[in-house]
Each structure stands twice: as structure tokens, then as C-alpha cells.
Amino acid sequence: GQNIDQPTEMTATEGAIVQINCTYQTSGFNGLFWYQQHAGEAPTFLSYNVLDGLEEKGRFSSFLSRSKGYSYLLLKELQMKDSASYLCAVGGLDNNNDMRFGAGTRLTVKP
Amino acid sequence: DGGITQSPKYLFRKEGQNVTLSCEQNLNHDAMYWYRQDPGQGLRLIYYSQIVNDFQKGDIAEGYSVSREKKESFPLTVTSAQKNPTAFYLCASSIRGVDEQFFGPGTRLTVL
């Protein structure tokens, strides 16, 4: 199957930490990607995981467990500009050479 | 500057008309993709192409057609067979399949 699940909405406070989870069911896997999308704009790349473990990039980190079909995106020191949708995408599902996106998590950062 | 462009940004068409959305990239990427996004939802794959003169259907290909005659260009035609064509259309490219994707600014199509 190709189900990619992530929470629909989350709310957090400026300066806090938030974790956005993503689970996927797959019979083939070539990598997991996280994208940020502000309303009305195109998505922009945040991170890529192909091996198990944590990838850190500034305030953003992404974790992958291939055996569990699970990833999370961790945002630290939240800023108001982090209010956006965060899209989880999986490459190579069902052994196809393509990319499938989850429905996205809309994060609202409040003062 | 290297990048991926889509035109036009906004497009209005009457019901029953075919319309072609442009997507051009000068990143020398092999792979190109078309996605559809409806309000409050994620991206759904329409078509993708890994190489010139070859393309594959995505999850929602019905009512759409594409061509890949040049590496730089991957136009999408929304045909009259597409039942609900009003949406935000995003084109993307990557060096190869399953790699970081670079997105164009999108075309917002409204069918009246």
C-alpha cells in the first residue's frame, strides 16, 4: 500500500519545540523527504533521510526508522514564520521510481 | 539563474475546453513531475517522467495528458474529460528519480 499518514493540524507556541510524525506503509522505499509549504506557495525542501537515524540541520531535524515505517520532523525554537504546512513524502513506494506525498500537517505558531 | 518556471500563474478556462500548462527547467534534471493540489490537501501525482520521450501515470492521470519531447520541458494538458479541473497545479524536477524535488511557482487553474 501507499498510505502516508500525518496529523492534519498542530498548534504550538513561539520558542517551543514541536514534533510532526509521519507513518507510511510500503513494499519499496528509497528515501523520505520533508517539505515546507506556505499558503499559496510552492513546497520547499527541508530534509532527506534514507538511513535510520537523525539528520540535523539548524533548527530542523528529521528522524527515520525504516523497520517501523516512521519518521518525524522536529522544529526547535519555533518562530512565527514557521507557521506553514509540512509535507512528508516517500520515494520509491511499491518499487516505482516516483514520489508520493502525505496530505500535510498545518502548523500554527502562536505568540 | 537556474530554476523551474511555470506559466501562467493564473488561468481561467470555460468548461469543455482543453488547456495546456507550461513547465520549463534549466537545471539539467532528468526527472520531472506534475502534481495537483486541492485546498487544504496534499499533493497528488498526475504524471512523471524519468527521461525524454518516456513518462508514467501517477495516481490521478485520468483526464490529463503530457509529453516529454525535450529534457527541459514537460507540458501538461488538462482535457475536457477531467471532471473537476479547478485546482493548483505544481510542476517539479529532480536530478533523477527519488531525489530532492525543486518546484515551480504553480499555476492556479479555474474552470468556469
Side-chain angles (χ1 to χ4, degrees):
Chain A
Q2 299 180 1
N3 290 349
I4 302 172
D5 295 315
Q6 46 181 136
T8 303
E9 293 189 30
M10 298 183 73
T11 302
T13 305
E14 192 176 14
I17 299 173
V18 70
Q19 177 175 311
I20 303 174
N21 296 327
C22 173
T23 59
Y24 59 92
Q25 299 171 353
T26 175
S27 59
F29 175 84
N30 274 331
L32 189 135
F33 300 79
W34 285 95
Y35 289 82
Q36 180 190 60
Q37 185 180 26
H38 285 98
E41 298 181 9
T44 55
F45 171 79
L46 289 177
S47 69
Y48 169 56
N49 295 71
V50 66
L51 300 176
D52 287 357
L54 188 68
E55 294 283 340
E56 297 188 76
K57 190 185 293 186
R59 294 190 299 114
F60 294 0
S61 303
S62 57
F63 172 83
L64 176 67
S65 169
R66 289 177 300 174
S67 61
K68 296 182 179 178
Y70 168 70
S71 173
Y72 67 72
L73 179 70
L74 194 70
L75 292 74
K76 304 175 186 175
E77 301 170 15
L78 282 173
Q79 303 175 8
M80 298 298 290
K81 68 178 182 180
D82 296 330
S83 291
S85 287
Y86 292 86
L87 308 175
C88 171
V90 183
L93 289 178
D94 292 332
N95 298 310
N96 290 321
N97 207 19
D98 60 12
M99 192 85 74
R100 292 293 195 272
F101 283 78
T105 298
R106 187 161 55 247
L107 173 66
T108 302
V109 179
K110 296 186 174 181
Chain B
D1 289 333
I4 180 166
T5 59
Q6 292 182 243
S7 62
K9 190 172 179 68
Y10 297 95
L11 188 57
F12 297 88
R13 279 293 182 269
K14 291 183 178 179
E15 193 172 344
Q17 290 181 333
N18 290 357
V19 60
T20 297
L21 281 57
S22 166
C23 179
E24 303 278 333
Q25 54 97 2
N26 60 3
L27 300 167
N28 200 32
H29 286 174
D30 285 323
M32 296 188 75
Y33 304 80
W34 273 106
Y35 296 94
R36 169 183 172 139
Q37 187 173 37
D38 293 285
Q41 298 189 28
L43 279 61
R44 291 186 290 169
L45 182 65
I46 305 173
Y47 270 98
Y48 66 103
S49 168
Q50 301 294 312
I51 196 170
V52 175
N53 292 323
D54 187 43
F55 48 83
Q56 285 76 43
K57 292 181 179 180
D59 295 328
I60 56 166
E62 185 175 351
Y64 300 97
S65 65
V66 293
S67 62
R68 188 84 187 276
E69 298 176 1
K70 299 185 299 181
K71 188 175 186 178
E72 302 81 18
S73 179
F74 192 41
L76 173 75
T77 297
V78 184
T79 75
S80 56
Q82 168 52 234
K83 299 302 180 190
N84 185 18
T86 295
F88 187 43
Y89 290 88
L90 285 159
C91 178
S93 71
S94 60
I95 294 175
R96 58 183 181 275
V98 191
D99 204 340
E100 175 188 350
Q101 292 190 355
F102 294 80
F103 285 83
T107 293
R108 197 167 296 278
L109 173 66
T110 302
V111 175
L112 306 172

